[in-house]
Amino acid sequence: MAFGDIAQITEALAKTHVGEVELSYKGRGLKLDNAESVKEMVQEIEQHQGLQSLRLEGNTLGVEAAQAIAKSLEAKRELEQCYWSDLFTGRLRSEIPPALKSLGNALMISGARLTHLDLSDNAFGPDGVKGIESLLKSSACYTLREIRLNNCGMGIGGGMVLASALTECHKQSSAAGSPLRLKVFIAGRNRLENNGAAALAKAFKLLGSLEEVHMPQNGINHPGITALATAIKHNPNLQVLNLNDNTFTKRGSIAMAEAIRHLQCLKVINFGDCLVRSEGAIAIAGALREGLPFLRELNLSFGEICEAAAIVVAKAVRGKPDLEKLDLNGNCFGEEGCEALREVMESMNMEDPLGSLSDDEGEPDDDEEEEEEEEDHEEKEDEEDTEENGVNGTKDVIEEKEELHCGSELMSFLISPSAEKLISLGAKRIQLIEQQIDVSDASKVSEVFLKISSVYQDEPEVKQAIFESTDALLRKAFSNSHSQSYSFISSLIVNLGLLKSEDKKIKKVAVLPGHLLALEHAAAQEFFPADQAGVLEEFVSRNGKVLESCCNARDALKTTLVKRTTA
């Protein structure tokens, strides 16, 4: 065998052993101020043939020292992994961008193709992101698989720069015939807020290759969460989604529930401390029932979720064989609620995944006023969208002619319901309801249902008209998406006073027997999904005292719901 062949084999073998091609100065606490202080390091880098991984984390690097190290990297074409977190402790903010630019330029000159870039815990702010902007856009990052920027203080501006750089990298790499396929994105504790998150969401949507997204503690509210939800739907291989300690509220939770039901590879969901609340939890339960077969962990802790909603979630994880952890700690169950939750999990032989409930907040007081600052902010955003009119105090579906486009006869009934008006519509009432009621808005469907059923009378002609009308409405509503169906049930539960909404302007109706009897009739029909009947049954069973004035109708409804869920 020729000497050249042996040399080639030796070089190939060296590249297969990561341990032989990594150079690590991790955690040494070195103060590297100038070229002299890194002289020995530079020599080791230069002498380390086939260097693939360089670990510099846990030291402190000045501009001159960075320039010297950068010079030694210009010949390291094989370099793939740069672990450079916690690298600027004690440095002036102004020192960090030029140091990063020097290192980045060296990687571009070398022709390296990075797969891992970790700059976490560097607190370099928006200017620091600008320091790596050129690197991220360059061919050195066309092969990037993981980027870690945790706790860097990027802010909104830095998030926008990062999003733009990733977008440009994808564009240029696609033009070169090998699109960027980033798999892991980590950027927790960066104060990205809504605008930063929205900018990154556009980049995520374009990438479509993400497998892990970690963005905890970023001050993101429902607009940013909704933007992220839209984006992750386009990343079908997503396995880990960590948005802990942001603020979903109802709207963000519903948007995220709609998104995750598309992600059949998802294994870990961390929405802990995100103010998912009960309505959001119900929506997420709908997504769990519809898919997520490989789910391993679900964290909905500290989300202001009530007992009944938690049990809906618990029942939704039935049939998830890989489930290892269900975290519902820190919610609002009370002692009896905690015990009921444990019993449900035990009845499914799934008691082991349920985590501790030691930090439960107890049952909320009926008169408790919500004081969260973010909710006050949301109410200001909603002022133009809500008015205290109609059945539940929201913008009255009946008076919004341009939205519902209802015929004058149906409109007349909905504005001022009466049995006579409903009967006078004749056989065309079903066609009018099917054609003119927009079932994409769950709260409006609930409102119309309650309007129709409010004129209930124990007379055959009236009952038939009501049941035909409400059945037509709900048949159409339930034929919509699964998540929309859950949203309708959630809205109805709020309207009936079985659940307190986060929106203070939404008030429960004065419940009439007709409301419950029409619902009982619909629940007995085939079009009424059994899982939705199960959600409704949980709330009627556990919070049914609020329906005491209609106890006979309530009990009839409960009996029918139990039959549907146990059939």
Side-chain angles (χ1 to χ4, degrees), residues 224-235:
I225 295 298
T226 299
L228 289 171
T230 301
I232 64 171
K233 286 193 289 189
H234 297 271
N235 289 264

Side-chain angles (χ1 to χ4, degrees), residues 409 412-426:
E409 293 174 290
S412 175
F413 166 77
L414 292 173
I415 290 174
S416 179
S418 71
E420 293 75 14
K421 288 182 179 179
L422 183 64
I423 291 172
S424 70
L425 291 172

Side-chain angles (χ1 to χ4, degrees), residues 266-460:
L266 201 55
K267 297 178 180 179
V268 178
I269 299 173
N270 188 343
F271 296 161
D273 204 12
C274 283
L275 281 183
V276 166
R277 295 196 172 124
S278 298
E279 292 170 276
I282 293 170
I284 290 170
L288 294 173
R289 285 188 178 274
E290 196 170 2
L292 307 177
F294 305 112
L295 186 66
R296 194 170 68 233
E297 296 182 17
L298 174 62
N299 185 347
L300 296 178
S301 61
F302 299 94
E304 295 189 1
I305 299 170
C306 73
E307 171 198 349
I311 289 177
V312 169
V313 171
K315 290 184 176 181
V317 300
R318 185 199 299 266
K320 309 290 183 192
D322 298 331
L323 189 70
E324 298 174 1
K325 181 179 180 181
L326 175 61
D327 191 347
L328 291 168
N329 198 17
N331 284 297
C332 308
F333 308 153
E335 290 185 18
E336 292 183 2
C338 289
E339 186 58 33
L341 181 59
R342 293 188 188 98
E343 289 176 359
V344 167
M345 295 298 287
E346 288 173 4
S347 71
M348 301 187 298
N349 295 317
M350 297 182 70
E351 60 269 28
D352 290 341
L354 183 62
S356 169
L357 300 175
S358 60
D359 293 321
D360 185 72
E361 296 287 339
E363 294 182 84
D365 296 332
D366 292 339
D367 299 327
E368 190 176 68
E369 290 294 325
E370 298 178 0
E371 298 177 353
E372 286 81 1
E373 186 174 317
E374 65 278 358
E375 185 170 78
D376 292 336
H377 176 69
E378 285 190 359
E379 286 183 359
K380 291 178 182 178
E381 291 181 336
D382 292 344
E383 281 178 358
E384 294 183 0
D385 296 332
T386 59
E387 299 174 6
E388 292 192 49
N389 297 317
V391 169
N392 60 5
T394 61
K395 177 176 59 180
D396 197 334
V397 60
I398 295 89
E399 297 178 356
E400 292 295 327
K401 296 181 182 179
E402 60 276 12
E403 289 193 7
L404 290 179
H405 304 290
C406 287
S408 59
E409 293 174 290
L410 180 59
M411 176 65 71
S412 175
F413 166 77
L414 292 173
I415 290 174
S416 179
S418 71
E420 293 75 14
K421 288 182 179 179
L422 183 64
I423 291 172
S424 70
L425 291 172
K428 64 183 177 182
R429 59 176 168 265
I430 294 176
Q431 184 180 12
L432 287 171
I433 290 169
E434 290 177 341
Q435 292 181 348
Q436 298 172 1
I437 301 299
D438 179 11
V439 297
S440 65
D441 188 326
S443 64
K444 292 180 180 179
V445 175
S446 176
E447 197 167 346
V448 172
F449 173 85
L450 294 171
K451 282 282 186 179
I452 296 171
S453 57
S454 68
V455 302
Y456 181 90
Q457 295 176 12
D458 196 16
E459 297 179 7

Side-chain angles (χ1 to χ4, degrees), residues 175-191:
S178 182
L180 172 64
R181 295 195 57 80
L182 188 67
K183 293 184 177 181
V184 178
F185 179 88
I186 300 177
R189 300 181 64 188
N190 271 292
R191 305 193 306 276

Side-chain angles (χ1 to χ4, degrees), residues 156 160 185 191-205 213 215 218-233 241-243 246-257 259 271 274 377-378 381:
I156 296 172
M160 290 180 167
F185 179 88
R191 305 193 306 276
L192 294 171
E193 301 182 13
N194 291 332
N195 290 339
L200 286 165
K202 292 179 180 179
F204 294 168
K205 182 177 179 180
V213 173
M215 297 175 67
N218 269 297
I220 308 171
N221 297 324
H222 76 84
I225 295 298
T226 299
L228 289 171
T230 301
I232 64 171
K233 286 193 289 189
L241 181 58
N242 176 8
L243 296 173
N246 289 292
T247 306
F248 283 34
T249 60
K250 174 184 174 181
R251 282 180 285 183
S253 299
I254 290 174
M256 195 56 70
F271 296 161
C274 283
H377 176 69
E378 285 190 359
E381 291 181 336

